[in-house]
């Protein structure tokens, strides 16, 4: 797993469709506590930046945009500072408190797309709107959840085949 991979998926999947209704964890009444649970400050500015980053990543991952200006702006004031210890060199993120989560999400997206090329994708269920990182050996995972979306899609395919056969 890439560093902050879970954070990346949590933020990407914060705009879910539940029972056919769009939801947004960054706009809900408890959005401040939601971002604090991720290690953030919970401010409106933090949520606004995180929403812009999330929405830009949605477009990039789905292939409907190649605009990275929002991601570049999120990284504009961040720095990675080397720290040397007997174990080697590590990199410490320096970012404004309201920008740190968004910066970590952009860095995680970059690591995942570099370390696991073409494995970060949208769920194949068009009604779902969630994302997954495919860790399967063949790299053929299509659904965010086999128990939910996978079963639904397979049931629909089976029903279509039965209608075609009749």
């Amino acid at each position: 797993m890439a560093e902050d991979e879970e954070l990346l998926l949590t933020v990407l999947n914060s705009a879910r469709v539940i029972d056919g209704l769009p939801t947004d964890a960054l706009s809900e009444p408890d959005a401040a506590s939601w971002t604090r649970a991720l290690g953030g400050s919970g401010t409106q500015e933090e949520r606004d930046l995180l929403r812009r980053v999330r929405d830009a990543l949605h477009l990039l991952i789905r292939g409907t945009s190649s605009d990275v200006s929002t991601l570049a702006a999120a990284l504009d004031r961040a720095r990675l500072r080397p720290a040397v210890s007997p174990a080697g060199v590590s990199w410490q993120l320096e970012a404004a408190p309201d920008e740190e989560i968004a910066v970590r999400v952009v860095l995680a997206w970059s690591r995942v797309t570099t370390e696991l090329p073409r494995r970060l994708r949208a769920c194949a269920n068009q009604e779902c709107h969630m994302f997954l990182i495919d860790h399967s050996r063949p790299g053929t995972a299509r659904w965010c959840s086999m128990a939910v979306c996978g079963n639904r899609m397979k049931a629909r395919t089976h029903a279509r085949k039965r209608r075609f056969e009749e």
Side-chain angles (χ1 to χ4, degrees), residues 29 31 39 64 79 81 96 98 101 117-120 131 136 150:
T64 57
R79 288 191 166 55
R81 183 173 304 280
D98 288 347
I101 293 177
R118 296 175 300 283
R119 299 288 183 118
L120 174 60
F131 294 82
S136 69

Side-chain angles (χ1 to χ4, degrees), residues 64-83:
T64 57
S65 174
S66 59
D67 181 12
V68 294
S69 61
T70 300
L71 306 181
L75 297 176
D76 193 43
R77 298 186 317 157
R79 288 191 166 55
L80 288 174
R81 183 173 304 280

Side-chain angles (χ1 to χ4, degrees), residues 143-163:
W143 301 289
C144 63
S145 163
M146 188 60 199
V148 179
C149 288
N151 280 340
R152 284 182 188 156
M153 298 304 289
K154 287 183 176 199
R156 287 179 191 163
T157 300
H158 180 70
R160 268 189 243 120
K161 285 181 183 178
R162 286 190 55 180
R163 273 184 270 155

Side-chain angles (χ1 to χ4, degrees), residues 52-61 63-73 106 109:
R52 287 191 305 272
V53 164
R54 179 199 62 203
D55 294 348
L57 287 172
H58 279 196
L59 296 172
L60 277 170
I61 295 164
T64 57
S65 174
S66 59
D67 181 12
V68 294
S69 61
T70 300
L71 306 181
V106 174
W109 163 76

